[in-house]
Amino acid sequence: MTTETRPPQHPGEPQTPADPSGPAPGRGVHSPGRAAIAARHLRTDRWWLSQAVTAFGLLAFVGYSTWRAFFGLHTAYAAPYVSPFYSPCLAANCPAMKSGADWALFGSWWQLSPALIVLIFPLGFRLTCYYYRKAYYRAFWSSPPACAVAEPHASYSGETRFPLVLQNIHRYFFYFAIVVAGILTYDAVLAWRNPAGQWGHAGIGTLVLLANIVLIWAYTLSCHSCRHIVGGRLRHFSKHPVRYRMWNLVGKLNARHMQLAWASLISVGVADLYVYLLASGAFTDPRLF
Amino acid sequence: MSYQANFRVWRGDSSGGGLEPYQVEVNEGEVVLDIVHRLQATQAPDLAVRWNCKAGKCGSCSAEVNGRPRLLCMTRMSTLPPDEPVTITPMRTFPVLRDLVTDVSFNYTKAREVPSFVPPQGLKPGEYRMAQEDVNRSQEFRKCIECFLCQNTCHVVRDHEENKPAFSGPRFLMRVAELDMHPLDAAAEEGLDRKRSAQEEHGLGMCNITKCCTEVCPEHIKITDNALIPLKERAVDRKYDPLVWLGSVIKRRK
Ligand code: SF4
Ligand code: SF4
Ligand code: FES
Ligand code: FES
């Protein structure tokens, strides 16, 4: 017994696809000459699970950060901690931060949330990141939904045309990301004070900011562009022993790039949430010393 | 311990075909290729399958098991759910010849399109000296057994037949990367820019780094991380780096 139908004997005759959600006959895995299998894929495992989890995770973060970026100004600072979404704070309407990175470069004409000025950079960095590209091409664009599962699109040009050809500027976002990580490091140093501004104190918030900045650095340095710049572009590692060592170190981090991407995304969100809860008076920061 | 398992095997040729049900005995420790051989011996003597080494080294037995591109000889029956029928089909990106055998000549065409190693001037064969750290990267790529599972899985050609002329596929972009990283390749001296040809002739920009090639590679080569992304970064150096671009404009003016 055959469980599949043979293609029509008359090539001019239109075919009806067995699976209406699949590509039209004659395209992709149904192209003439390929094995005649009506299903657009035959996977029996839960291939959609990682697509669904990724989509959920990214949407949750986008939702949360949008809310915080637009409406979080008055809960962006709880001495001595600043939310990573609001640092550096470049408009005049920022909350006063004791020796923090609030430089009113943009002056008072900027009436929107100051988070919007700086979030462009981490956003651009993550949007053009090779890992996040994989994640959202699969999760939101189903290109492909999972390996060996046919994608729903009629045509495909990858990253060869505008706008996706712009993914190639990832390297420049990487340079900005170094600056942003530097400023967040400064914030984490400032967190070793008490709310009155005296040094040598720490609270749970200090640890939250510290964990966040460690993860941010690990994610930033594990970037594929970083790996290329420090050494990957060379042809003769043997002539550049120092860069070869750096390339090896970055390579070790790079192998964990996906995990670091998620860990740092979560830690940024948690650090911001922590500051939000303190600033809105939900609880007071437990002091360690 | 042996049991009777249900299989659905694609039978047919380029004019059509379908999944045929079979019930076959499975013994402990067996791989899918063992079952295909038992099928040939007992019920379907005319079943076509390509194989050679039964050790995951010749790259002949590529097919799809339960919809996943695999080597038949390296897929243990114990990794598949015993209570569900096991579906075996040929690779779905290449034209089928018969049953589980496909025509993989697309890959040979693409292989020929990559200009080979350009020997350095003034060095005779036998005089080449290379440091181990300079060839580590290429050696990873040379583990390739040319099973073409990565080519088969890549959605650029699997889902878009029309992209085949423009796209060489992960295996041959990896070959370009290998040569571009080769410490002695003299292509640039001969006026051959491998970074440019990767983009313009081999379709590097079509890859959207979604890593299915890496997922299916039986040699566990990190194709995307170690070949395709580094090659994309090399192309960025050449084309999208404003400093490099400015430098080349100034040079042209002179
Ligand atoms: S990473 Fe690129 S080459 Fe590999 S399967 Fe995906 S699109 Fe194809
Ligand atoms: S790179 Fe891996 S999957 Fe691709 S042909 Fe070589 S061994 Fe097979
Ligand atoms: S590749 Fe992910 S940050 Fe650069
Ligand atoms: S028979 Fe050689 S790889 Fe499977």
Side-chain angles (χ1 to χ4, degrees), chain B residues 14 39 45 69 86 105 108 127 140 142 163 166 175 182 187 222 247:
Chain B
S14 60
L39 254 178
V86 175
S105 54
Y108 303 130
E127 295 178 348
E140 181 192 9
R142 296 196 73 98
N163 284 341
R175 173 76 178 144
H182 194 298
K222 299 271 178 281

Side-chain angles (χ1 to χ4, degrees), chain A residues 50-51 54-55 58-59 62 123-145 153 159 163-168 170 219 262, chain B residues 208-210:
Chain A
S50 79
Q51 188 186 22
T54 311
L58 293 178
L59 282 177
V62 167
L123 180 72
F125 185 48
R126 289 189 189 244
L127 263 184
T128 57
C129 161
Y130 287 96
Y131 167 69
Y132 284 104
R133 271 144 79 180
K134 171 196 165 196
Y136 63 76
Y137 286 146
R138 282 197 189 198
F140 296 139
W141 194 240
S142 284
S143 172
H153 310 288
E159 301 184 335
L164 289 184
V165 72
L166 290 182
Q167 305 281 27
N168 287 305
H170 180 59
Y219 168 68
W262 282 105
Chain B
N208 68 352
I209 50 158
T210 36

Side-chain angles (χ1 to χ4, degrees), chain B residues 33 51-61 71 73 145:
Chain B
L33 186 60
W51 69 285
N52 231 296
C53 67
K54 233 189 132 216
K57 282 296 163 219
C58 72
S60 306
C61 63
L71 293 178
C73 72
I145 58 171

Side-chain angles (χ1 to χ4, degrees), chain A residues 196-219:
Chain A
Q198 289 154 321
W199 286 93
H201 297 275
I204 297 295
T206 315
L207 302 182
V208 171
L209 291 196
L210 187 68
N212 179 42
I213 192 59
V214 168
L215 289 171
I216 294 278
W217 271 115
Y219 168 68

